[in-house]
Amino acid sequence: MPNFSYNNRRFRSVSNSPSGEVDSSTTFNYFQDGEIVWATYSGGSIKLGSLLALVDEQGGLDIRYQHLNISGKLMTGKCQSTPEILSDGRIRLHEVWQWTSGDLSEGESIVEEIERTNV
């Protein structure tokens, strides 16, 4: 297992390919139990989405995702995410994805952990 956890971390998109639907208004809420990672996401053009992933020893994620967009269309896809630990300890995910519905196009995106506040 990696020396960090995705559990209770929030992420936001910072870049995406043109055929992607996630943007800077989309927020992801991640959870983890052992090698299983899951998240819900919404915002921007996404009404509601969920993802399920397996994490490898380097912290990489093998993801399957699904969401309902604001046009009322169900979309599905797969993604490989590679983590980068930023100097402030946040996680940045470099993602290579492909739709498994619609036009089956591929793309790349980057999501970054939203800075946590101490409560």
Side-chain angles (χ1 to χ4, degrees), residues 29-54:
N29 297 294
Y30 273 66
F31 303 95
Q32 182 173 352
D33 183 9
E35 67 179 3
I36 302 169
V37 173
W38 67 97
T40 58
Y41 57 101
S42 62
S45 64
I46 310 297
K47 282 189 175 183
L48 180 63
S50 64
L51 64 82
L52 183 62
L54 290 174

Short mmCIF file of all heavy atoms in Angstrom, two decimals, residues 29-54:
data_model
loop_
_atom_site.label_atom_id
_atom_site.label_comp_id
_atom_site.label_asym_id
_atom_site.label_seq_id
_atom_site.Cartn_x
_atom_site.Cartn_y
_atom_site.Cartn_z
N ASN A 29 -15.21 13.72 -3.83
CA ASN A 29 -15.03 13.35 -2.43
C ASN A 29 -14.57 11.90 -2.39
O ASN A 29 -15.36 10.99 -2.66
CB ASN A 29 -16.34 13.52 -1.66
CG ASN A 29 -16.78 14.97 -1.65
OD1 ASN A 29 -16.13 15.81 -1.07
ND2 ASN A 29 -17.87 15.25 -2.33
N TYR A 30 -13.30 11.68 -2.03
CA TYR A 30 -12.67 10.36 -2.06
C TYR A 30 -12.71 9.68 -0.69
O TYR A 30 -12.59 10.34 0.34
CB TYR A 30 -11.20 10.49 -2.48
CG TYR A 30 -10.98 10.48 -3.98
CD1 TYR A 30 -11.45 11.50 -4.79
CD2 TYR A 30 -10.27 9.45 -4.57
CE1 TYR A 30 -11.22 11.50 -6.16
CE2 TYR A 30 -10.03 9.44 -5.95
CZ TYR A 30 -10.52 10.46 -6.72
OH TYR A 30 -10.30 10.46 -8.08
N PHE A 31 -12.80 8.34 -0.74
CA PHE A 31 -12.76 7.50 0.46
C PHE A 31 -11.92 6.27 0.12
O PHE A 31 -11.77 5.91 -1.04
CB PHE A 31 -14.18 7.07 0.86
CG PHE A 31 -15.07 8.25 1.09
CD1 PHE A 31 -15.89 8.72 0.08
CD2 PHE A 31 -15.07 8.92 2.31
CE1 PHE A 31 -16.70 9.83 0.27
CE2 PHE A 31 -15.87 10.03 2.51
CZ PHE A 31 -16.69 10.49 1.50
N GLN A 32 -11.37 5.62 1.16
CA GLN A 32 -10.53 4.46 0.92
C GLN A 32 -10.66 3.46 2.07
O GLN A 32 -10.73 3.85 3.23
CB GLN A 32 -9.06 4.87 0.79
CG GLN A 32 -8.12 3.72 0.49
CD GLN A 32 -6.71 4.18 0.20
OE1 GLN A 32 -6.43 5.37 0.08
NE2 GLN A 32 -5.81 3.23 0.06
N ASP A 33 -10.66 2.18 1.71
CA ASP A 33 -10.61 1.09 2.66
C ASP A 33 -9.67 0.05 2.06
O ASP A 33 -10.03 -0.65 1.11
CB ASP A 33 -12.00 0.50 2.90
CG ASP A 33 -12.01 -0.60 3.95
OD1 ASP A 33 -10.98 -0.80 4.63
OD2 ASP A 33 -13.05 -1.26 4.09
N GLY A 34 -8.44 -0.01 2.57
CA GLY A 34 -7.43 -0.92 2.00
C GLY A 34 -7.12 -0.54 0.58
O GLY A 34 -6.82 0.61 0.28
N GLU A 35 -7.23 -1.51 -0.33
CA GLU A 35 -6.90 -1.24 -1.74
C GLU A 35 -8.08 -0.69 -2.54
O GLU A 35 -7.94 -0.37 -3.71
CB GLU A 35 -6.38 -2.52 -2.41
CG GLU A 35 -7.43 -3.59 -2.55
CD GLU A 35 -6.93 -4.84 -3.23
OE1 GLU A 35 -5.74 -4.92 -3.57
OE2 GLU A 35 -7.76 -5.76 -3.44
N ILE A 36 -9.23 -0.54 -1.88
CA ILE A 36 -10.43 -0.06 -2.56
C ILE A 36 -10.59 1.45 -2.32
O ILE A 36 -10.56 1.91 -1.18
CB ILE A 36 -11.69 -0.79 -2.07
CG1 ILE A 36 -11.55 -2.29 -2.30
CG2 ILE A 36 -12.94 -0.25 -2.76
CD1 ILE A 36 -12.62 -3.12 -1.61
N VAL A 37 -10.76 2.18 -3.40
CA VAL A 37 -11.00 3.63 -3.34
C VAL A 37 -12.31 3.89 -4.07
O VAL A 37 -12.59 3.29 -5.10
CB VAL A 37 -9.86 4.41 -4.00
CG1 VAL A 37 -10.18 5.89 -4.09
CG2 VAL A 37 -8.55 4.19 -3.24
N TRP A 38 -13.13 4.80 -3.52
CA TRP A 38 -14.36 5.20 -4.19
C TRP A 38 -14.58 6.68 -3.97
O TRP A 38 -13.99 7.28 -3.07
CB TRP A 38 -15.56 4.36 -3.72
CG TRP A 38 -15.96 4.57 -2.29
CD1 TRP A 38 -16.96 5.39 -1.82
CD2 TRP A 38 -15.40 3.95 -1.13
NE1 TRP A 38 -17.04 5.31 -0.45
CE2 TRP A 38 -16.10 4.43 -0.01
CE3 TRP A 38 -14.36 3.03 -0.92
CZ2 TRP A 38 -15.79 4.03 1.30
CZ3 TRP A 38 -14.07 2.64 0.36
CH2 TRP A 38 -14.78 3.13 1.46
N ALA A 39 -15.40 7.26 -4.81
CA ALA A 39 -15.67 8.69 -4.69
C ALA A 39 -17.03 9.01 -5.30
O ALA A 39 -17.53 8.28 -6.14
CB ALA A 39 -14.60 9.51 -5.40
N THR A 40 -17.58 10.12 -4.84
CA THR A 40 -18.73 10.72 -5.49
C THR A 40 -18.27 12.08 -6.02
O THR A 40 -17.33 12.67 -5.49
CB THR A 40 -19.92 10.90 -4.53
OG1 THR A 40 -19.50 11.70 -3.43
CG2 THR A 40 -20.42 9.55 -4.02
N TYR A 41 -18.92 12.54 -7.07
CA TYR A 41 -18.55 13.84 -7.62
C TYR A 41 -19.75 14.52 -8.24
O TYR A 41 -20.71 13.87 -8.67
CB TYR A 41 -17.39 13.73 -8.61
CG TYR A 41 -17.58 12.82 -9.80
CD1 TYR A 41 -17.91 13.33 -11.05
CD2 TYR A 41 -17.37 11.44 -9.70
CE1 TYR A 41 -18.04 12.51 -12.15
CE2 TYR A 41 -17.50 10.61 -10.80
CZ TYR A 41 -17.83 11.15 -12.03
OH TYR A 41 -17.98 10.34 -13.12
N SER A 42 -19.71 15.84 -8.26
CA SER A 42 -20.78 16.65 -8.84
C SER A 42 -20.26 18.06 -9.05
O SER A 42 -19.22 18.44 -8.53
CB SER A 42 -22.02 16.65 -7.93
OG SER A 42 -21.71 17.23 -6.69
N GLY A 43 -21.04 18.82 -9.82
CA GLY A 43 -20.70 20.22 -10.08
C GLY A 43 -20.40 20.46 -11.54
O GLY A 43 -20.00 19.55 -12.27
N GLY A 44 -20.62 21.69 -11.98
CA GLY A 44 -20.41 22.01 -13.38
C GLY A 44 -21.43 21.27 -14.23
O GLY A 44 -22.63 21.32 -13.98
N SER A 45 -20.95 20.54 -15.23
CA SER A 45 -21.86 19.81 -16.13
C SER A 45 -22.24 18.43 -15.59
O SER A 45 -22.92 17.67 -16.27
CB SER A 45 -21.25 19.68 -17.52
OG SER A 45 -20.08 18.89 -17.46
N ILE A 46 -21.83 18.11 -14.36
CA ILE A 46 -22.11 16.80 -13.76
C ILE A 46 -23.16 16.95 -12.67
O ILE A 46 -22.95 17.65 -11.67
CB ILE A 46 -20.83 16.18 -13.12
CG1 ILE A 46 -19.65 16.21 -14.08
CG2 ILE A 46 -21.13 14.79 -12.59
CD1 ILE A 46 -19.81 15.41 -15.33
N LYS A 47 -24.32 16.29 -12.86
CA LYS A 47 -25.33 16.27 -11.79
C LYS A 47 -24.86 15.40 -10.64
O LYS A 47 -24.88 15.82 -9.49
CB LYS A 47 -26.67 15.75 -12.31
CG LYS A 47 -27.45 16.75 -13.09
CD LYS A 47 -28.85 16.20 -13.37
CE LYS A 47 -29.69 17.24 -14.04
NZ LYS A 47 -31.07 16.76 -14.25
N LEU A 48 -24.47 14.16 -10.95
CA LEU A 48 -23.99 13.24 -9.92
C LEU A 48 -23.18 12.14 -10.58
O LEU A 48 -23.58 11.61 -11.61
CB LEU A 48 -25.16 12.61 -9.15
CG LEU A 48 -24.78 11.64 -8.03
CD1 LEU A 48 -23.98 12.33 -6.93
CD2 LEU A 48 -26.02 10.98 -7.45
N GLY A 49 -22.04 11.83 -9.95
CA GLY A 49 -21.20 10.76 -10.46
C GLY A 49 -20.60 9.95 -9.34
O GLY A 49 -20.58 10.39 -8.18
N SER A 50 -20.11 8.76 -9.70
CA SER A 50 -19.40 7.93 -8.74
C SER A 50 -18.28 7.21 -9.46
O SER A 50 -18.32 7.01 -10.67
CB SER A 50 -20.34 6.92 -8.08
OG SER A 50 -20.86 6.02 -9.02
N LEU A 51 -17.25 6.85 -8.69
CA LEU A 51 -16.17 6.07 -9.26
C LEU A 51 -15.75 5.00 -8.27
O LEU A 51 -15.97 5.12 -7.06
CB LEU A 51 -14.98 6.95 -9.66
CG LEU A 51 -14.22 7.73 -8.60
CD1 LEU A 51 -13.18 6.89 -7.88
CD2 LEU A 51 -13.55 8.93 -9.25
N LEU A 52 -15.17 3.94 -8.79
CA LEU A 52 -14.64 2.83 -8.00
C LEU A 52 -13.26 2.53 -8.55
O LEU A 52 -13.07 2.50 -9.78
CB LEU A 52 -15.55 1.61 -8.13
CG LEU A 52 -15.19 0.38 -7.32
CD1 LEU A 52 -15.22 0.67 -5.82
CD2 LEU A 52 -16.14 -0.76 -7.65
N ALA A 53 -12.29 2.32 -7.65
CA ALA A 53 -10.91 2.11 -8.10
C ALA A 53 -10.18 1.14 -7.20
O ALA A 53 -10.55 0.95 -6.04
CB ALA A 53 -10.17 3.45 -8.10
N LEU A 54 -9.13 0.56 -7.77
CA LEU A 54 -8.17 -0.20 -7.00
C LEU A 54 -6.87 0.60 -6.98
O LEU A 54 -6.46 1.15 -8.01
CB LEU A 54 -7.92 -1.57 -7.64
CG LEU A 54 -9.08 -2.56 -7.56
CD1 LEU A 54 -8.76 -3.82 -8.36
CD2 LEU A 54 -9.38 -2.91 -6.11
#
